[in-house]
Amino acid sequence: MENTYAALLRHLIKFSGIKLSSLADFIGYDVSYISKWCNNINHPSSKYLTRINTCIASFISDEIVKQNLTYVFFNEFQINLSQHVSAEKIKKFLFDEINNMLFEAYYRENNTVATDENPAVANNCQQKTIIGRTNIKNFFITEIATVLNNITDDIEMYITGDIITLLDKQLFFNVFNFSSKNIDIHIGCNIQKLSNENLDFIDKLYNLFNHYIEITFHIHDDKKFQYSNIITVKNHFSLQYSLHNDNLIDICTYITDKTISADIYERTCEKFTADTYLIQPINDIELIKFRSFFYLNNYLLLFCAKGFEFFLPPQAFKNLLSTSTTYQYSSDMQQTIQNMQITWEEQFEKAHIDFILPAANIMHYIEEGQLSYGEIAYTTSPQERELQLQQLVKSMKNNPHINIFLLGQVQPYNKDSYFKLSYYSNNKTAYLKKDATFCSKNNKNIYLIKDFRLLYKFNDFFSTTIKKSDCSKFTADDIENIYKKNNALLHRIWLQSKQPV
């Protein structure tokens, strides 16, 4: 009698001459599972043991009867017949004997056996399964959150789950407070589902990017991996899970074994390719030449979350351009920046441009003068801001299709309440730009939107924003009157900030 389940299973398979692949197909498991059972790496889960043993016994007993090896089998496995068994009942008897042998071998190892449900016994707790959504929720809040929050080196994470579902169910991100300064998270998105989503999804997506401004998100079409159900973090752990029909996780297996987790990571990340990008993070410098063509379109929608880099007077732009040498821009790149400024000036005369400015943002800019022009951080002087305002009014009078919308955001009281993500669209191409103030130097600060469905939804989202009750439209006359009325106040603010007027 074999002492272990693995030894017995190997003996049964060898005796009957069946193939592992044939047995695996019959049971409905991958052949790798059967191989692990035979090699005593894992054992079947106790939860499914009855079905598995029944299938094995049925498949092997059928094969033994077909080969007319029944009595040879009894002799091989030292089974004594206490009574004569008819030919009609011999198969049932054979099945019962094999099934009983499997159960006895399984439980003979008692609680020391590693199973698919609890393999940690055999590999020093490097793998465990959590069952039940409440248990899984607690597991994410405690163990997973603790692991991720304590990682200080770079984090590279791949999530095959759908971003729409994650945001809808408020799963995963809301329990983390990352310590790492360099975090890349790749997530799938179901294109078919995206087409049917309303603007609530864009609101949630923008808020996710805005809240976790220091994280670099990569959004991919999930066509290559939508059934994988994997979360994997390079050099740390992997999770495999199953979803209930309400899209909540009801079973997940947590794997910390370095070899297995690394294999899962490699197999998963190779499915996230350049051609699957829906939203791709890039460096601002990569976008400079692109912007010259971007602003040639006759419709622009611009949500400015930091400063106001448009309508700069010539002297301010000259000073800004000289600052570009600090960023090691080549002469060719500086020429591109100049060309972009010329393009802007031409567009200000004819294009339809909707500027959306958070009230707190524009007040801060009027007081401090801080803006971002590409990767260049620049602070305008009070004189430059005054000339910029005058140029804005002049351009709006010359081109009535330039609109200023002021979003009545309350004064931010902490880092989380700021708008930190700008949006630029020309109706054909669009991108989101991070406020570098909130990011580390290694962050990619541009999200290039590469899918037209996402672009249209973002456009609709911001177009809807200007129709809300807390968003006010200002004409050239409105701005001019406000400027004249508050001119003295503005100069006092600038004097108080100790900047030369």
Side-chain angles (χ1 to χ4, degrees):
M1 182 71 70
E2 271 69 19
N3 291 322
T4 67
Y5 187 91
L8 174 61
L9 186 57
R10 287 198 305 272
H11 194 169
L12 288 169
I13 290 171
K14 182 178 180 181
F15 178 84
S16 60
I18 63 174
K19 295 180 179 180
L20 286 186
S21 57
S22 300
L23 180 61
D25 289 341
F26 186 79
I27 299 174
Y29 275 68
D30 189 274
V31 70
S32 62
Y33 281 86
I34 315 299
S35 178
K36 288 177 182 178
W37 300 343
C38 290
N39 291 296
N40 208 27
I41 297 174
N42 284 349
H43 279 199
S45 163
S46 59
K47 184 176 181 179
Y48 304 108
L49 184 65
T50 299
R51 188 186 74 81
I52 291 170
N53 282 351
T54 298
C55 289
I56 293 173
S58 177
F59 191 77
I60 291 179
S61 60
D62 280 349
E63 191 63 32
I64 290 172
V65 170
K66 286 179 184 177
Q67 297 180 44
N68 199 27
L69 294 174
T70 304
Y71 290 96
V72 179
F73 172 84
F74 291 155
N75 184 60
E76 177 82 9
F77 287 85
Q78 301 175 6
I79 297 172
N80 296 318
L81 292 174
S82 56
Q83 58 184 14
H84 176 74
V85 180
S86 65
E88 292 80 16
K89 295 181 178 180
I90 195 70
K91 183 178 178 181
K92 176 66 168 62
F93 182 86
L94 184 61
F95 166 84
D96 288 339
E97 286 296 322
I98 295 173
N99 199 29
N100 290 336
M101 289 164 57
L102 288 168
F103 272 106
E104 288 174 7
Y106 184 95
Y107 288 112
R108 190 180 301 117
E109 295 176 78
N110 199 10
N111 294 327
T112 61
V113 66
T115 71
D116 291 322
E117 187 178 69
N118 185 26
V121 177
N123 58 17
N124 299 319
C125 296
Q126 292 183 315
Q127 183 172 316
K128 63 180 177 180
T129 299
I130 304 93
I131 300 173
R133 58 188 59 185
T134 301
N135 293 332
I136 290 168
K137 181 179 180 181
N138 292 334
F139 176 71
F140 271 80
I141 292 173
T142 55
E143 293 195 44
I144 297 298
T146 300
V147 170
L148 287 175
N149 296 347
N150 288 331
I151 297 174
T152 55
D153 57 338
D154 294 355
I155 293 178
E156 294 182 42
M157 180 186 298
Y158 287 81
I159 303 171
T160 63
D162 173 37
I163 183 68
I164 300 171
T165 301
L166 286 175
L167 293 177
D168 181 52
K169 298 296 183 180
Q170 297 184 342
L171 302 173
F172 203 74
F173 297 107
N174 57 323
V175 299
F176 301 131
N177 183 23
F178 295 97
S179 300
S180 174
K181 300 300 181 185
N182 295 307
I183 306 170
D184 283 85
I185 299 179
H186 295 253
I187 314 177
C189 180
N190 189 295
I191 288 293
Q192 188 173 8
K193 191 173 182 180
L194 173 66
S195 299
N196 298 320
E197 282 298 301
N198 58 34
L199 297 182
D200 286 344
F201 166 64
I202 300 299
D203 188 23
K204 293 172 184 176
L205 184 63
Y206 176 87
N207 287 328
L208 174 71
F209 287 176
N210 193 70
H211 180 76
Y212 291 102
I213 196 74
E214 71 282 1
I215 295 177
T216 301
F217 289 96
H218 307 245
I219 309 299
H220 295 257
D221 181 351
D222 70 356
K223 60 186 176 184
K224 295 182 180 179
F225 50 79
Q226 61 178 312
Y227 302 112
S228 297
N229 292 349
I230 289 171
I231 300 169
T232 179
V233 181
K234 187 176 183 180
N235 298 328
H236 292 281
F237 68 85
S238 293
L239 281 163
Q240 294 177 294
Y241 59 88
S242 67
L243 292 173
H244 195 263
N245 57 12
D246 61 1
N247 286 321
L248 289 173
I249 300 174
D250 55 8
I251 301 174
C252 80
T253 299
Y254 177 58
I255 303 163
T256 56
D257 179 274
K258 290 185 177 180
T259 302
I260 298 174
S261 184
D263 189 26
I264 293 173
Y265 176 87
E266 292 300 326
R267 291 171 182 267
T268 302
C269 70
E270 68 183 10
K271 298 174 183 177
F272 290 73
T273 55
D275 64 309
T276 63
Y277 265 116
L278 302 178
I279 299 180
Q280 180 180 12
I282 61 174
N283 291 314
D284 200 294
I285 189 85
E286 300 174 58
L287 204 65
I288 290 292
K289 292 185 178 181
F290 162 82
R291 281 198 183 99
S292 295
F293 300 99
F294 178 87
Y295 289 103
L296 287 175
N297 196 282
N298 282 327
Y299 177 83
L300 300 171
L301 175 63
L302 309 173
F303 176 77
C304 304
K306 181 185 180 180
F308 193 61
E309 67 264 42
F310 305 95
F311 305 98
L312 290 175
Q315 186 58 42
F317 188 75
K318 183 179 179 181
N319 292 337
L320 183 147
L321 195 60
S322 66
T323 305
S324 67
T325 58
T326 306
Y327 293 80
Q328 298 181 340
Y329 281 3
S330 66
S331 58
D332 178 58
M333 189 62 70
Q334 291 183 39
Q335 183 62 51
T336 300
I337 294 172
Q338 286 182 301
N339 293 340
M340 186 169 69
Q341 179 69 7
I342 294 170
T343 303
W344 280 3
E345 291 172 357
E346 292 179 352
Q347 291 301 89
F348 295 155
E349 295 179 2
K350 59 182 180 181
H352 182 119
I353 310 174
D354 288 336
F355 290 102
I356 307 174
L357 310 172
N361 161 277
I362 202 63
M363 286 304 299
H364 185 268
Y365 176 66
I366 289 171
E367 293 175 11
E368 304 293 335
Q370 297 173 351
L371 59 81
S372 295
Y373 193 104
E375 291 186 334
I376 304 170
Y378 182 73
T379 301
T380 56
S381 69
Q383 293 98 324
E384 289 170 345
R385 270 167 269 162
E386 193 165 19
L387 290 171
Q388 183 183 18
L389 184 57
Q390 292 171 5
Q391 181 61 44
L392 169 61
V393 172
K394 180 181 177 182
S395 296
M396 290 181 70
K397 287 183 176 181
N398 291 334
N399 180 3
H401 299 298
I402 296 176
N403 300 307
I404 298 291
F405 296 93
L406 205 60
L407 186 61
Q409 179 205 23
V410 296
Q411 184 66 30
Y413 57 90
N414 60 33
K415 176 179 177 288
D416 290 337
S417 61
Y418 274 92
F419 285 112
K420 294 166 279 192
L421 205 60
S422 299
Y423 178 72
Y424 302 83
S425 170
N426 68 4
N427 244 9
K428 295 181 179 179
T429 310
Y431 61 94
L432 295 152
K433 178 183 177 183
K434 296 182 180 182
D435 180 348
T437 306
F438 298 97
C439 306
S440 70
K441 292 182 179 180
N442 295 326
N443 280 150
K444 292 184 175 180
N445 59 346
I446 297 293
Y447 286 123
L448 186 60
I449 298 173
K450 305 189 72 173
D451 181 81
F452 69 92
R453 284 154 291 201
L454 272 171
L455 187 151
Y456 292 158
K457 287 185 182 295
F458 267 104
N459 279 358
D460 288 345
F461 172 72
F462 283 101
S463 295
T464 302
T465 298
I466 65 180
K467 298 175 184 176
K468 293 182 178 179
S469 58
D470 64 341
C471 192
S472 304
K473 182 179 178 180
F474 287 81
T475 65
D477 290 339
D478 292 333
I479 296 173
E480 189 171 36
N481 290 334
I482 292 172
Y483 168 65
K484 289 178 180 178
K485 184 177 179 180
N486 296 281
N487 184 270
L489 176 61
L490 289 173
H491 281 73
R492 286 182 63 186
I493 291 173
W494 292 331
L495 283 171
Q496 190 174 358
S497 65
K498 297 182 181 180
Q499 297 187 63
V501 182

